[in-house]
Amino acid sequence: VQLVESGGGLVQPGRSLTLSCAASGFSLSRYYMNWYRQAPGKEREVIATISPQSGHIGYADSVKGRFTISRDNAKNTIYLQMNNLKVEDTAKYYCHIDSPSMDTYWGQGTQVIVSD
């Protein structure tokens, strides 16, 4: 099982980024998937979740209306479209499988820095 996040970078406030999480070694189509982030000195927090067929999607209040989670089960990949980025969105972003049996698997994360 492997999760590989990509797409992070340094952007100015108000700009956009799209993160990807490519899964291998299992089919993510069976699972709810989450995006988490961890800012320096803070705990890792879940910010978005998506059900296996995208019928249920949820967001943390801090990103609602700005971020969009999506998935392409055929590509075994999930995405996070981040618009109107704020300085407080600076964090390392991770995808995660929402299942007790898969809970130990984390990728290396992708760093997002929002700064002037």
Side-chain angles (χ1 to χ4, degrees), residues 2-3 9 15 18 29 35 39 43 47 57 68 78-79 83 88 97 100 103 111 113 115:
Q2 196 171 19
L3 299 165
R15 302 300 291 265
T18 300
S29 65
W35 280 101
E43 292 189 358
I47 57 169
I57 289 174
T68 303
I78 66 167
Y79 304 95
N83 296 328
E88 52 264 40
I97 309 159
D103 189 58
Q111 183 70 49
I113 300 173
S115 174

Side-chain angles (χ1 to χ4, degrees), residues 12-50:
Q12 293 178 322
R15 302 300 291 265
S16 299
L17 279 176
T18 300
L19 308 183
S20 300
C21 168
S24 61
F26 75 105
S27 174
L28 58 74
S29 65
R30 299 172 55 193
Y31 299 98
Y32 273 74
M33 296 293 295
N34 299 324
W35 280 101
Y36 282 76
R37 69 184 181 187
Q38 187 167 21
K42 295 188 176 181
E43 292 189 358
R44 196 172 292 186
E45 60 171 346
V46 60
I47 57 169
T49 188
I50 186 167

